[in-house]
């Protein structure tokens, strides 16, 4: 099963999205937060992200849901620091943080492969929230 | 002139001192167009680097630079963490195992570092970033090395070019990072990343000039 890593500048934001996505995927998916710095301040830390990726990976791959800016740069860097044979199965979704995270968690809970989970997350960009 | 591991450590100390002295200044620049944390972030990163230096004494220059890079990656916090982190790590790879480097090795370091920043940030010159200080600095340094004018003078020319590049960032629109949300309103403000890059080079040149 595909694992998820939630990367945010804020520890609380990452943990909050984990809480939400865990409930929506009924606890079936490994979802790890990598938010903020080690000391709790705002920021992103490539080594913490790398640790979360390794914990979330059951061998099938990991999708990263990141907020913005340095969250993307640090995630890129975390992937680069992994073993060569693992790198190809770790990707970052170009997706909205909350909606993309939820869509990815639900898709992953159905046992879909990495491509499908990524597509689900990125498809959340088109999601309509209000119907009139 | 050659630079050994001990001098490299002195250069890192000089960079940390310069960044500490300019912490408020960098944060002030960043509060105009960014998220007001660049000075704090860089100072936090290099302060942690300082705590690692005693364990790096006697190590080769590649190891020293790589350790600095790894430390910045996990302590800076903002985009400059992965950017400067990548720069130092690539620089370390470029001189792996060496205990002494000359001006040609420093050219290799400089090229690898800038290439790393460009790849990590998917950025080029003219986007109001640290590249606008570093790219002209590299060009001046390379020209100086090609003309055999000596390491200290080559570095001084690089610092002058970085200063000019840093000042030029006032005139352009940001298209990368938080400042890009401001669009044309970013004009008139000097880029904090270009400024810290200039300060870094200046701190390095100061040590070499004192040798």
């Amino acid at each position: 099963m595909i694992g998820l890593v939630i990367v945010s500048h804020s520890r609380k934001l990452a943990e909050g999205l984990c809480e939400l996505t865990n409930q929506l995927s009924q606890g079936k998916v490994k979802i790890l937060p990598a938010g903020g710095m080690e000391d709790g301040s705002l920021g992103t830390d490539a080594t913490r992200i790398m640790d979360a990726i390794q914990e979330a990976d059951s061998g099938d791959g990991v999708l990263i849901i990141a907020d913005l800016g340095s969250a993307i740069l640090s995630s890129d860097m975390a992937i680069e620091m992994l073993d060569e044979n693992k790198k190809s199965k770790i990707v970052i979704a170009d997706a909205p943080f909350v909606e993309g995270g939820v869509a990815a968690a639900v898709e992953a809970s159905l046992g879909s492969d990495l491509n499908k989970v990524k597509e689900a997350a990125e498809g959340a960009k088109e999601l309509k929230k209000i119907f009139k | 002139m050659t630079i050994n591991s001990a001098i490299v450590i002195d250069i890192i100390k000089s960079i940390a001192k310069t960044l500490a002295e300019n912490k408020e200044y960098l944060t002030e620049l960043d509060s105009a167009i960014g998220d007001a944390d660049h000075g704090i972030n860089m100072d936090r990163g290099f302060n942690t680097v300082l705590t690692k230096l005693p364990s790096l004494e006697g190590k080769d220059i590649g190891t020293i630079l790589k350790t600095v890079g790894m430390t910045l990656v996990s302590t800076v916090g903002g985009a400059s963490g992965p950017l400067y982190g990548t720069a130092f790590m690539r620089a370390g790879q470029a001189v792996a195992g060496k205990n002494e480097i000359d001006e040609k090795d420093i050219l290799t370091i400089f090229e690898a570092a800038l290439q790393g920043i460009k790849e990590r940030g998917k950025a080029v010159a003219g986007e109001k970033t640290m590249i606008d200080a570093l790219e002209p600095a590299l060009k001046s340094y390379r020209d100086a090395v090609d003309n055999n004018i000596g390491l200290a003078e080559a570095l001084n020319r690089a610092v002058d070019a970085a200063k000019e590049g840093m000042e030029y960032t006032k005139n352009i629109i940001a298209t990368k990072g938080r400042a890009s949300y401001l669009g044309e309103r970013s004009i008139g403000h000097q880029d904090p990343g270009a400024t810290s890059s200039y300060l870094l080079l200046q701190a390095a040149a100061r040590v070499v000039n004192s040798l």
Side-chain angles (χ1 to χ4, degrees):
Chain A
M1 188 172 281
I2 302 304
L4 297 183
V5 170
I6 311 289
V7 180
S8 169
H9 284 65
S10 153
R11 179 172 289 194
K12 285 183 189 168
L13 201 49
E15 286 172 356
L17 186 57
C18 278
E19 186 188 10
L20 184 64
T21 49
N22 263 322
Q23 198 216 8
L24 290 165
S25 58
Q26 297 156 5
K28 289 178 191 160
V29 184
K30 264 196 190 174
I31 307 173
L32 272 294
M37 307 295 293
E38 187 123 50
D39 64 5
S41 53
L42 293 176
T44 58
D45 173 351
T47 37
R48 295 188 76 222
I49 298 168
M50 185 182 71
D51 292 343
I53 292 171
Q54 280 169 326
E55 209 176 321
D57 191 12
S58 58
D60 294 334
V62 171
L63 184 73
I64 299 175
I65 304 287
D67 57 7
L68 73 174
S70 76
I72 307 292
L73 296 188
S74 292
S75 298
D76 270 336
M77 182 122 210
I79 296 172
E80 206 176 284
M81 292 191 292
L82 291 167
D83 293 341
E84 213 47 58
N85 58 346
K86 276 193 179 172
K87 281 183 193 171
S88 61
K89 284 185 178 171
I90 318 294
V91 291
I92 309 170
D94 187 2
F97 190 63
V98 177
E99 288 86 343
V102 168
V106 172
E107 191 66 44
S109 74
L110 302 172
S112 302
D113 66 15
L114 186 57
N115 262 335
K116 272 198 108 169
V117 177
K118 182 171 180 271
E119 269 173 31
E122 294 181 348
K125 269 186 195 166
E126 315 297 331
L127 196 75
K128 226 172 136 35
K129 254 183 229 191
I130 298 174
F131 299 90
K132 285 181 183 161
Chain B
M1 185 194 278
T2 59
I3 301 292
N4 62 25
S5 298
I7 301 170
V8 171
I9 288 181
D10 283 345
I11 288 174
I12 310 262
K13 284 180 187 162
S14 168
I15 291 172
K17 186 166 172 276
T18 301
L19 289 172
E21 285 163 1
N22 287 279
K23 183 176 160 181
E24 306 294 327
Y25 170 53
L26 288 173
T27 294
E28 200 181 296
L29 290 174
D30 197 27
S31 70
I33 54 170
D35 45 5
D37 62 3
H38 190 54
I40 298 161
N41 285 348
M42 293 301 288
D43 185 49
R44 173 172 57 200
F46 273 91
N47 256 324
T48 317
V49 166
L50 284 181
T51 67
K52 306 232 164 133
L53 290 183
S55 66
L56 291 172
E57 268 169 44
K59 296 270 165 62
D60 68 273
I61 295 169
T63 304
I64 296 169
L65 295 175
K66 205 177 148 220
T67 309
V68 171
M70 287 298 292
T71 309
L72 295 179
V73 161
S74 57
T75 54
V76 171
S80 36
L83 291 170
Y84 280 122
T86 302
F88 277 93
M89 285 163 77
R90 296 279 178 92
Q93 283 163 13
V95 291
K98 291 199 177 189
N99 291 303
E100 258 188 9
I101 50 176
D102 61 14
E103 56 252 48
K104 290 234 165 69
D105 294 314
I106 293 171
L107 178 60
T108 312
I109 282 180
F110 208 158
E111 284 168 342
L114 180 59
Q115 187 58 30
I117 289 173
K118 285 178 161 178
E119 284 173 20
R120 179 70 58 220
K122 298 182 176 65
V124 292
E127 296 181 307
K128 204 179 181 93
T129 70
M130 47 180 83
I131 296 169
D132 292 313
L134 292 172
E135 194 160 88
L138 171 59
K139 191 186 173 297
S140 289
Y141 182 79
R142 189 190 290 121
D143 290 348
V145 169
D146 287 346
N147 288 313
N148 290 313
I149 63 160
L151 177 59
E153 181 52 24
L155 281 174
N156 291 342
R157 289 191 190 179
V159 171
D160 289 344
K163 185 163 191 268
E164 209 172 297
M166 166 189 88
E167 283 164 356
Y168 159 74
T169 63
K170 283 182 202 164
N171 308 325
I172 51 178
I173 296 182
T175 53
K176 283 282 184 297
R178 155 75 165 74
S180 65
Y181 299 140
L182 295 172
E184 288 192 353
R185 284 165 293 175
S186 65
I187 294 179
H189 299 285
Q190 184 174 304
D191 181 61
T195 310
S196 61
S197 288
Y198 158 71
L199 291 170
L200 232 111
L201 289 175
Q202 192 193 41
R206 197 179 294 139
V207 172
V208 175
N209 275 287
S210 72
L211 295 173

